[in-house]
Amino acid sequence: MQVTIREVAKQLNLSITTISRALDGYDDVSEATRKLVVKTAEEMGYSPNRAARQLRRQRTDTIGYILPSNKPRFADPFFSEFLSGLGDAAASLNYDLLISTAPADHETEQKIYQRWVHAHKVDGFVINRVRLYDWRIQYLSYQQVPLVTLERSLDELEHPSIEVDGFNGFQTLVTHLVEKGFRRIAYIGASQDLKIQVNRLNGYMTGLTRAGIQPDPALIEEGNLTRQGGYLAAKRLLSLEKPPVAIACVNDLTAIGAMEIAHERGLVVGKDLAVVGFDGIEEAAHTQSPLTTLYQPLYEISRELVQMLVTLIVGDPLPQAHIVYTPQLVIRASTGG
Amino acid sequence: MQVTIREVAKQLNLSITTISRALDGYDDVSEATRKLVVKTAEEMGYSPNRAARQLRRQRTDTIGYILPSNKPRFADPFFSEFLSGLGDAAASLNYDLLISTAPADHETEQKIYQRWVHAHKVDGFVINRVRLYDWRIQYLSYQQVPLVTLERSLDELEHPSIEVDGFNGFQTLVTHLVEKGFRRIAYIGASQDLKIQVNRLNGYMTGLTRAGIQPDPALIEEGNLTRQGGYLAAKRLLSLEKPPVAIACVNDLTAIGAMEIAHERGLVVGKDLAVVGFDGIEEAAHTQSPLTTLYQPLYEISRELVQMLVTLIVGDPLPQAHIVYTPQLVIRASTGG
DNA sequence: TTGTAGGCGTTATCAA
DNA sequence: TTGATAACGCCTACAA
């Protein structure tokens, strides 16, 4: 069994109160005893029992993240990297990271959030893939549970967040394509209720308009952020009477799927058809035609989200509650180099 | 604040004991009160406080998994899928999944295991990427902490496990390559202390021998299970005076890296150079030359590991403590179809 | 069949 | 500066 505070107290002939306060660095403990206590506790291998502490403090030192998993065989590098950042940051702040998976915007998802909130399983949540109007944000705000998000919903509820500027990003992408001589540019997006979709689509439209190109609704397709979705949407686009010469994709995975069908059709990506993505996942650098994309430092972003969340939880002031990143254009062969 | 057992008791004018026992389904509660209690508890939205329960029961209803993360930008589909299975299975058994990341076989990793064991943070561990002699297994066994593993170490310590037969798998791969007419077959493996490496290398050697081919030490390279590692190792192989005509890779990511350099060199994969992998990650079906590989149902495997672990934790008998899967050969263009 | 009461290991209040 | 002591919410001997 674990060493308890009582045993440390007995060892030193002090009260458990003193031990507790000494270890928590209160200033009403004499320096001498404090040092002694810290040393002895260390030697005895004492560390406070988590459950007891939680029960008493009504805090769990745990943050929660619920992974959207629409299909069993999901394997999205975006989430690997995101998770990795969450895990590392949490660990370094001595927090635990509690994970569950649930289909996005599904009853199951709701149940888990409610269960975790209700049972006080976590002190706060990290949320991404934000919807335009997002019940998770509404619910947690209403329940007064700390949360941070990647992207902001339109709910106008106050919470710390990080945004990656997809609107300007997509303008940049479109501008780049136009400069490379591609003008009939299609767009493959995601579900309409996703914040990133709206931002990026708007950026695409604005980019076109600013280049003097009339957006063509026939060139706007919906995918589902997966390779497969990109493949199918691109297939539809390429079967049009007047197919596009370039496709801007809401994320890299979609773009990779689009390039796949292009290759199948014998098109030379970067010449016959330009393709661009968004994310900057590692894989994008290694596709048959390396992918031009907008890079966002996801690992750093996810670490920063945790940092913000923990700051919020412990009640410290947040120097900057809203951070906006500008994604970086990485030009590769898929747009002709 | 959460509804407590006391409030439910007050509501019904019963003692908390009765509530507790009724909800836990003890048989010394009258059917009538039991039903009433269950109903009222439900209505009031009562669910037992986790910390209190843990403190009392000395259990956490949480299982732990520590993700090997050697580089910050790790994004390995193998782990996405593995994690996804762990998360789903844990959730469906009403367990939590606690995640941390640490570089494999590093001091940090040791610290986390020790901390979690010491502080009773989890009831048990899931371990994969097992080493030949694995201190994690030794340590947890010694500490009497429940664990399950994917692959078994040579430590001869008793614990439930699942194995995927890499030895026979690699024989199958080599046989397939030989049948396709490739005889000068190289191997790119992983760190020598990994169990999968030893199994798969042995399978490769045996496969060659059985085909009457003398293994050539010059054709055996070491990667690191990543695309990059595969790329570099394959580059060395292709620069040999007598380069191989086929490369068997310890996993798909390595194989994808190997194909990359092959393409760069202008080799037609499947004809000039055959490449095979192991894992069956989704990406492998979509590479420039789709990859022949050994498929293992990782999602199911990870779910099953959780199932076994929980059974072990609660002390129920395990019908089958050691399961061996045979990976399935999936033939694609990278070996000539 | 139901209720009383003690204790799991902490932290926090109050008194010494 | 230190120490007794009462919670935190739950489970479970034991008593009724």
Side-chain angles (χ1 to χ4, degrees):
Chain A
M1 196 45 223
Q2 211 186 139
V3 183
T4 75
I5 199 173
R6 232 176 287 273
E7 301 174 44
V8 180
K10 196 175 292 170
Q11 174 84 11
L12 289 176
N13 260 322
L14 285 169
S15 75
I16 56 172
T17 310
T18 307
I19 308 298
S20 176
R21 317 208 69 179
L23 291 176
D24 275 3
Y26 280 63
D27 52 4
D28 58 357
V29 177
S30 82
E31 188 55 19
T33 43
R34 215 208 81 237
K35 277 205 172 133
L36 182 61
V37 168
V38 170
K39 181 159 155 284
T40 319
E42 167 87 6
E43 281 170 9
M44 296 178 70
Y46 167 77
S47 80
N49 178 294
R50 213 175 161 71
R53 171 175 268 180
Q54 287 175 205
L55 181 59
R56 178 63 230 221
R57 287 211 224 177
Q58 307 284 46
R59 268 184 25 202
T60 68
D61 296 345
T62 303
I63 63 181
Y65 175 66
I66 292 162
L67 203 58
S69 70
N70 288 304
K71 30 173 211 154
R73 289 207 69 209
F74 111 100
D76 189 329
F78 178 95
F79 287 103
S80 310
E81 192 166 342
F82 192 75
L83 264 179
S84 175
L86 295 185
D88 289 356
S92 80
L93 292 168
N94 228 324
Y95 266 67
D96 287 336
L97 175 63
L98 199 53
I99 302 282
S100 193
T101 56
D105 219 356
H106 186 271
E107 201 188 342
T108 316
E109 186 187 54
Q110 230 173 97
K111 282 228 182 86
I112 299 182
Y113 274 95
Q114 285 165 351
R115 193 153 60 91
W116 284 11
V117 167
H118 203 98
H120 264 287
K121 277 207 198 182
V122 298
D123 294 336
F125 285 86
V126 175
I127 290 179
N128 70 355
R129 288 277 162 92
V130 166
R131 278 82 89 162
L132 279 188
Y133 297 93
D134 202 308
W135 72 264
R136 298 174 295 178
I137 297 175
Q138 296 160 14
Y139 173 68
L140 295 177
S141 300
Y142 178 70
Q143 298 282 343
Q144 314 229 41
V145 176
L147 78 153
V148 297
T149 64
L150 177 54
E151 308 307 324
R152 300 188 58 77
S153 75
L154 301 180
D155 296 301
E156 304 257 338
L157 293 164
E158 184 43 36
H159 57 82
S161 65
I162 296 183
E163 287 183 282
V164 177
D165 190 344
F167 178 73
N168 278 308
F170 262 76
Q171 285 192 54
T172 309
L173 282 177
V174 168
T175 307
H176 168 66
L177 286 168
V178 171
E179 277 169 2
K180 283 289 183 176
F182 303 98
R183 292 187 65 87
R184 190 164 169 73
I185 303 170
Y187 173 83
I188 301 177
S191 171
Q192 296 299 329
D193 61 349
L194 283 180
K195 188 66 184 315
I196 52 171
Q197 156 68 6
V198 172
N199 278 350
R200 295 176 193 181
L201 176 58
N202 278 341
Y204 157 82
M205 303 282 266
T206 308
L208 285 183
T209 311
R210 286 178 50 169
I213 301 171
Q214 172 77 20
D216 178 352
L219 293 184
I220 297 177
E221 274 284 350
E222 179 170 332
N224 59 359
L225 297 165
T226 70
R227 180 197 313 256
Q228 168 105 44
Y231 180 92
L232 295 174
K235 194 170 186 174
R236 292 193 293 272
L237 288 170
L238 294 177
S239 308
L240 289 176
E241 214 164 302
K242 280 189 63 181
V245 296
I247 306 179
C249 301
V250 65
N251 71 343
D252 285 351
L253 235 39
T254 300
I256 289 171
M259 290 197 289
E260 205 176 316
I261 176 74
H263 288 138
E264 277 182 20
R265 294 279 174 100
L267 298 174
V268 175
V269 171
K271 207 167 136 259
D272 306 328
L273 180 75
V275 178
V276 299
F278 192 116
D279 275 352
I281 61 174
E282 197 178 329
E283 194 178 339
H286 302 282
T287 38
Q288 184 172 350
S289 307
L291 182 68
T292 293
T293 188
L294 286 172
Y295 171 76
Q296 53 180 338
L298 199 53
Y299 180 76
E300 284 72 27
I301 288 173
S302 54
R303 289 182 58 93
E304 206 156 355
L305 281 170
V306 171
Q307 187 73 257
M308 291 166 102
L309 179 56
V310 170
T311 309
L312 180 64
I313 288 169
V314 301
D316 286 351
L318 263 171
Q320 222 190 332
H322 305 290
I323 299 176
V324 178
Y325 275 85
T326 304
Q328 289 212 292
L329 183 61
V330 181
I331 299 172
R332 301 207 185 94
S334 76
T335 52
Chain B
M1 196 43 223
Q2 209 188 141
V3 184
T4 74
I5 198 171
R6 231 176 290 273
E7 302 175 43
V8 180
K10 196 174 293 170
Q11 174 84 9
L12 290 176
N13 261 320
L14 285 170
S15 76
I16 58 171
T17 309
T18 307
I19 308 298
S20 175
R21 315 206 73 175
L23 291 176
D24 275 3
Y26 279 62
D27 52 5
D28 56 359
V29 177
S30 82
E31 187 56 17
T33 45
R34 215 207 81 239
K35 277 205 173 133
L36 182 63
V37 168
V38 170
K39 182 160 153 287
T40 320
E42 169 86 8
E43 280 170 10
M44 296 179 67
Y46 166 77
S47 80
N49 177 292
R50 215 178 159 68
R53 176 174 260 180
Q54 286 176 207
L55 183 59
R56 176 64 227 222
R57 291 218 262 222
Q58 307 284 39
R59 267 183 27 201
T60 67
D61 296 344
T62 302
I63 62 180
Y65 175 66
I66 291 161
L67 202 58
S69 69
N70 288 303
K71 31 173 209 154
R73 292 206 68 209
F74 109 104
D76 189 330
F78 178 96
F79 288 103
S80 310
E81 192 168 341
F82 192 75
L83 264 180
S84 176
L86 295 185
D88 288 356
S92 78
L93 293 168
N94 228 324
Y95 266 67
D96 287 336
L97 175 63
L98 198 54
I99 302 284
S100 193
T101 55
D105 219 354
H106 187 270
E107 202 188 342
T108 315
E109 185 187 53
Q110 231 173 95
K111 283 227 181 87
I112 299 181
Y113 274 95
Q114 285 165 351
R115 193 153 60 90
W116 285 11
V117 167
H118 204 98
H120 265 287
K121 277 207 199 183
V122 297
D123 294 336
F125 285 87
V126 175
I127 290 179
N128 69 354
R129 288 277 161 92
V130 165
R131 278 81 90 163
L132 279 189
Y133 297 93
D134 202 308
W135 73 262
R136 298 173 295 177
I137 296 174
Q138 295 160 16
Y139 173 69
L140 295 177
S141 300
Y142 179 71
Q143 298 282 342
Q144 315 229 43
V145 176
L147 78 153
V148 296
T149 64
L150 177 53
E151 308 306 325
R152 301 186 58 77
S153 75
L154 302 180
D155 296 302
E156 306 256 337
L157 293 164
E158 186 41 37
H159 57 82
S161 65
I162 296 183
E163 286 183 282
V164 177
D165 189 343
F167 177 73
N168 278 307
F170 262 76
Q171 285 191 53
T172 308
L173 282 176
V174 168
T175 306
H176 168 66
L177 286 167
V178 171
E179 278 169 1
K180 284 288 184 175
F182 302 98
R183 291 187 64 86
R184 190 163 169 74
I185 303 170
Y187 173 84
I188 301 177
S191 169
Q192 296 299 330
D193 61 349
L194 283 180
K195 188 66 184 316
I196 52 170
Q197 157 67 6
V198 172
N199 279 350
R200 296 175 192 182
L201 177 58
N202 279 342
Y204 158 82
M205 303 282 266
T206 307
L208 286 182
T209 310
R210 287 176 48 169
I213 301 170
Q214 172 75 20
D216 178 351
L219 293 184
I220 297 177
E221 274 286 350
E222 179 169 332
N224 61 359
L225 297 165
T226 71
R227 179 196 313 256
Q228 168 104 46
Y231 180 92
L232 295 174
K235 193 170 187 176
R236 292 193 293 272
L237 287 170
L238 295 177
S239 309
L240 289 176
E241 213 164 304
K242 279 189 64 184
V245 296
I247 307 179
C249 301
V250 66
N251 70 345
D252 285 351
L253 236 39
T254 301
I256 290 170
M259 290 196 289
E260 204 177 318
I261 176 75
H263 289 137
E264 277 183 21
R265 295 279 174 99
L267 298 175
V268 175
V269 171
K271 205 166 136 262
D272 306 328
L273 180 74
V275 177
V276 298
F278 193 118
D279 274 351
I281 62 174
E282 197 178 329
E283 195 178 340
H286 302 282
T287 39
Q288 184 170 353
S289 305
L291 181 68
T292 293
T293 187
L294 285 172
Y295 171 76
Q296 53 180 338
L298 199 53
Y299 179 76
E300 284 72 29
I301 288 173
S302 53
R303 288 182 58 93
E304 207 156 354
L305 281 170
V306 171
Q307 187 73 259
M308 291 166 102
L309 179 56
V310 170
T311 310
L312 181 63
I313 287 170
V314 301
D316 286 349
L318 264 170
Q320 222 191 331
H322 305 291
I323 298 175
V324 178
Y325 275 84
T326 304
Q328 289 211 294
L329 183 63
V330 180
I331 298 172
R332 300 206 186 95
S334 76
T335 53

